[in-house]
Amino acid sequence: MRVLSVTSECAPLVKTGGLADVAGALPAALAREGVEMRTILPGYPAIMARLGETKVVLEDAGLFGGPVRALSTQLAGLDLYVVDAPHLYDRPGGIYLRPEGGDWWDNPERFAALSWVAARMAAEGADGWRPHVLHCHDWQGGFAPLYARAMGAGAGSVMTIHNMAFHGPAPADRRGTLRLPGWSWHPDGVEFYGHISALKAGLMYADRITTVSPSYARELMTRDFGMGLDGVMRARRDAVSGILNGIDTDVWNPATDPAIETFEAPTGKAAARAALVEEFGLPQGDGPIAVVISRLTAQKGLDLLLQALPRFAGQGGRVVLLGSGDRGLEDGWRAAAHHLPGVAAHIGYDEAMSHRLIAGGDAVLVPSRFEPCGLTQLYGLRYGAVPVVARTGGLADTVIDANDAALKAGVATGLQFAPVTAEALSAALDRLLELHRDSEIWAQICRNAMAHPVDWGTSAAAYAALYKGIASDT
Ligand code: ADP
């Protein structure tokens, strides 16, 4: 079974969020299921600079304003195809944003090129390799199932939604430029209220739709969570499934993590916790240290946590946040760290620091308003940093709340709260303080958390089964 993963991010090469982790982990996880997955990525400068030996496997003399080549190579343990298109990718700044902020005006074309080359590989093969299935991630891969269909490629296609909030919109008058077939321009095609939507293209034309947790799959069919595409999700209900993300248990392994010295939770957490107290100048004390590692956007609910901080810190709780994003939230967290003893914030992006936080933290907080899957609660489970999460999406599916029944049955792994308000979060933090004071119960929750499977095993098997159901007999 040959699968081409169509993605704009892939760890460890290029990452802005969880999509990269998933795209980076899937090939190895699926190899264990007998699936040969290769990955196609845009040739951003950082990737082009790292390329060693490459082979040109496909060429297009003029695609969206310039020549394009697909290069095959191996990098960071991945079998890669890199779309070499300097007119689209050779730019400063982030992968989606201009250096001065804001999307590149031609983002639709930049990622349509990725999808176009992937579709051509499915239609014609490249250097003798032709995928049975295109696995497309988020709006950046959204046009690939449509292009593949227009080319008569015959390959099966899967569209995975990592976050429904991003649609990849383009003005209607770009449909010629984007090479969208005329038959796709209607409300049951790529049109979304008079605009083109790359995500909707994927949802309409892929054989199967997945999202990264069963709860988010259900939520996406509702008006509250569907971001305007809930009707599409309901119409395609039979093609939709939720498959939970796993994490890379080699990268996130408390026994071998180079970011920490020794670790054996719950008792062995002491060294990592002490290191955290020192690194962030936290007050000494018996109260729990709760950590946050997150993009700072409205989705993540960290404004609610700001409101709950004074009460939590006033009762001996300590909080360390690592994150970056919205200016207002960054300023809010800087101010809280300045004014409240027991609260520290590092505004920035730092992988090694994220490991130190998870290792030293007693709890990890994820108060998201919506969360397709979420990864940091999975890291927390593995390292005995008890997750305190909003009851939504993948957070609801991965954490067992320490209610009376779960405590009696000895199965609790964390805390959930609902609705997603500052009051409910505050109440959950009160519960956290109380549970943490009872060392026996706390140790049991930590043990349960660490025993909870967070690897890719089950989910890789679920993807493999899905591919099997739709694979072309190419
Ligand atoms: P999302 O994809 O919505 O950002 P996820 O929880 O699925 O949320 O994935 C976020 C990923 O990015 C995790 O691996 C998390 O550890 C990482 N991350 C987010 N912010 C930072 C940061 N400031 N420093 C280091 N890692 C971060």
Side-chain angles (χ1 to χ4, degrees):
M1 170 79 67
R2 296 183 297 274
V3 179
L4 183 62
S5 174
V6 186
T7 181
S8 59
E9 303 185 21
C10 187
L13 297 170
V14 51
K15 167 167 170 173
T16 73
L19 162 61
D21 294 290
V22 176
L26 277 179
L30 283 160
R32 292 191 277 275
E33 300 294 326
V35 173
E36 183 191 356
M37 176 175 272
R38 298 190 182 179
T39 305
I40 185 163
L41 268 178
Y44 310 114
I47 291 186
M48 297 308 290
R50 286 182 61 173
L51 291 182
E53 204 174 308
T54 60
K55 184 170 183 189
V56 179
V57 296
L58 205 141
E59 289 185 272
D60 202 317
L63 182 59
F64 308 137
V68 168
R69 305 183 307 167
L71 311 174
S72 87
T73 191
Q74 291 200 318
L75 195 58
L78 296 159
D79 291 315
L80 276 190
Y81 295 103
V82 176
V83 181
D84 178 21
H87 64 296
L88 299 173
Y89 305 129
D90 187 10
R91 303 176 184 186
I95 60 177
Y96 309 119
L97 302 177
R98 292 173 297 142
E100 58 276 25
D103 288 340
W104 290 106
W105 71 275
D106 59 349
N107 271 355
E109 285 78 8
R110 294 176 72 226
F111 297 99
L114 171 76
S115 296
W116 182 269
V117 175
R120 269 194 63 189
M121 289 182 63
E124 306 159 26
D127 198 27
W129 196 86
R130 190 168 168 195
H132 299 102
V133 172
L134 291 174
H135 187 161
C136 312
H137 300 276
D138 275 349
W139 71 267
Q140 298 89 327
F143 288 136
L146 170 59
Y147 289 150
R149 194 174 287 211
M151 292 175 196
S157 55
V158 178
M159 181 73 214
T160 293
I161 307 161
H162 297 264
N163 194 332
M164 192 70 127
F166 306 106
H167 286 195
D173 61 11
R174 299 256 281 275
R175 56 190 195 269
T177 326
L178 286 166
R179 302 186 179 184
L180 302 179
W183 47 259
S184 67
W185 181 248
H186 57 83
D188 284 330
V190 302
E191 184 192 341
F192 182 72
Y193 297 104
H195 273 64
I196 299 162
S197 162
L199 178 60
K200 189 174 175 192
L203 299 181
M204 294 308 301
Y205 296 108
D207 297 312
R208 294 281 187 280
I209 299 169
T210 72
T211 186
V212 287
S213 68
S215 284
Y216 193 56
R218 284 190 296 274
E219 288 169 353
L220 288 179
M221 294 178 198
T222 68
R223 283 183 70 158
D224 282 352
F225 290 89
M227 304 278 176
L229 288 167
D230 43 295
V232 172
M233 293 298 285
R234 286 193 299 275
R236 297 223 58 203
R237 177 185 296 271
D238 293 342
V240 175
S241 57
I243 301 178
L244 275 176
N245 287 338
I247 60 171
D248 187 328
T249 47
D250 292 330
V251 174
W252 290 93
N253 182 351
T256 57
D257 195 328
I260 52 182
E261 281 177 18
T262 54
F263 189 91
E264 188 199 328
T267 48
K269 229 177 161 60
R273 188 195 297 107
L276 208 58
V277 168
E278 194 179 321
E279 179 173 358
F280 288 93
L282 299 174
Q284 301 289 340
D286 297 329
I289 301 178
V291 300
V292 181
I293 301 150
S294 186
R295 293 186 291 116
L296 298 180
T297 67
Q299 175 193 341
K300 302 293 181 178
L302 295 165
D303 51 322
L304 306 176
L305 183 56
L306 277 175
Q307 294 175 50
L309 278 182
R311 180 180 166 91
F312 184 58
Q315 297 177 85
R318 291 165 288 174
V319 175
V320 182
L321 170 129
L322 165 62
S324 61
D326 293 354
R327 185 60 63 82
L329 283 166
E330 290 185 352
D331 289 346
W333 274 91
R334 278 199 196 92
H338 185 69
H339 292 298
L340 287 172
V343 176
H346 181 93
I347 303 301
Y349 188 95
D350 188 328
E351 295 268 347
M353 186 183 284
S354 72
H355 283 245
R356 296 198 293 277
L357 259 56
I358 293 285
D362 298 294
V364 56
L365 306 183
V366 197
S368 306
R369 292 187 164 88
F370 67 93
E371 193 58 78
C373 180
L375 293 175
T376 58
Q377 86 279 13
L378 302 181
Y379 306 150
L381 288 169
R382 182 136 165 89
Y383 282 62
V386 171
V388 179
V389 302
R391 186 177 303 137
T392 185
L395 303 173
D397 292 342
T398 52
V399 175
I400 302 172
D401 179 64
N403 57 38
D404 285 348
L407 286 173
K408 271 205 190 95
V411 296
T413 61
L415 285 87
Q416 295 189 356
F417 67 92
V420 192
T421 60
E423 293 72 29
L425 171 57
S426 234
L429 293 174
D430 286 353
R431 275 208 293 151
L432 170 69
L433 289 161
E434 194 185 321
L435 291 167
H436 185 259
R437 272 193 289 270
D438 187 327
S439 55
E440 218 166 283
I441 288 187
W442 187 255
Q444 188 193 47
I445 297 175
C446 288
R447 274 197 305 275
N448 292 345
M450 294 185 80
H452 186 92
V454 290
D455 62 17
W456 272 101
T458 315
S459 298
Y463 278 118
L466 192 74
Y467 300 150
K468 218 169 170 187
I470 56 167
S472 66
D473 43 16
T474 300

